[in-house]
Amino acid sequence: NLGDYEFIYQEPGECGRLITVFVNVNDDCVVLPCTTDDLEISKVVTPNNDGFNDYFEINGLENCDFTIEVQIFNRWGKMVYQSNNYLNTWNGYHDNSGMTFKTDSTLPSGTFYYVIKIPNSGIDALTGYIYLGTR
């Protein structure tokens, strides 16, 4: 129950001390349970600025205050994107590695694989694939 409590403990023996402990119980700092039950991870990214699937998104952990690490690999296992504090911002561009489409930094359409790590969360690494449709 909420409120202030006082506990008094007397040590055993003739000269036992009295120890008083004051405790305030409140619900200001409730720890919300964080699970992957509501986790949603994009399955397709089509960065054409139409407002639909423009970014690789990881949703469902917003209230957990975790840092999310993301690595994205092409089908040959080459890492093409990495973030140690992912904020749903990857839209199909490489981070100066991997094969590109024409002369820009757009990755070619195809299947890519992700590894998502959530350090200090107790949640195992999450892996899967996404389809990137760039052209």
Side-chain angles (χ1 to χ4, degrees):
N1 291 347
L2 302 176
D4 295 319
Y5 296 90
E6 179 180 330
F7 299 96
I8 300 174
Y9 172 74
Q10 182 172 2
E11 291 180 328
E14 287 183 31
C15 299
R17 296 180 296 164
L18 284 177
I19 300 173
T20 304
V21 177
F22 298 94
V23 177
N24 174 269
V25 178
N26 65 55
D27 63 355
D28 292 342
C29 300
V30 174
V31 176
L32 300 174
C34 288
T35 67
T36 56
D37 293 347
D38 297 324
L39 188 63
E40 293 180 10
I41 301 171
S42 295
K43 291 292 182 196
V44 69
V45 175
T46 55
N48 57 6
N49 295 316
D50 66 355
F52 300 100
N53 300 316
D54 288 327
Y55 298 94
F56 177 66
E57 294 186 9
I58 303 167
N59 297 310
L61 298 176
E62 294 83 7
N63 295 325
C64 297
D65 199 30
F66 291 137
T67 299
I68 298 174
E69 297 177 359
V70 170
Q71 296 174 324
I72 297 180
F73 300 87
N74 66 17
R75 62 181 150 183
W76 297 284
K78 173 82 172 167
M79 188 184 330
V80 295
Y81 177 81
Q82 177 180 5
S83 174
N84 291 327
N85 186 19
Y86 189 67
L87 302 172
N88 290 341
T89 56
W90 186 69
N91 59 352
Y93 291 84
H94 72 86
D95 58 1
N96 298 319
S97 63
M99 188 171 66
T100 61
F101 183 80
K102 296 185 180 179
T103 59
D104 60 18
S105 59
T106 305
L107 292 164
S109 295
T111 301
F112 289 78
Y113 301 89
Y114 63 80
V115 176
I116 299 170
K117 296 178 184 175
I118 308 165
N120 304 314
S121 69
I123 299 171
D124 291 335
L126 305 163
T127 60
Y129 64 91
I130 57 169
Y131 178 77
L132 176 64
T134 54
R135 305 268 191 236

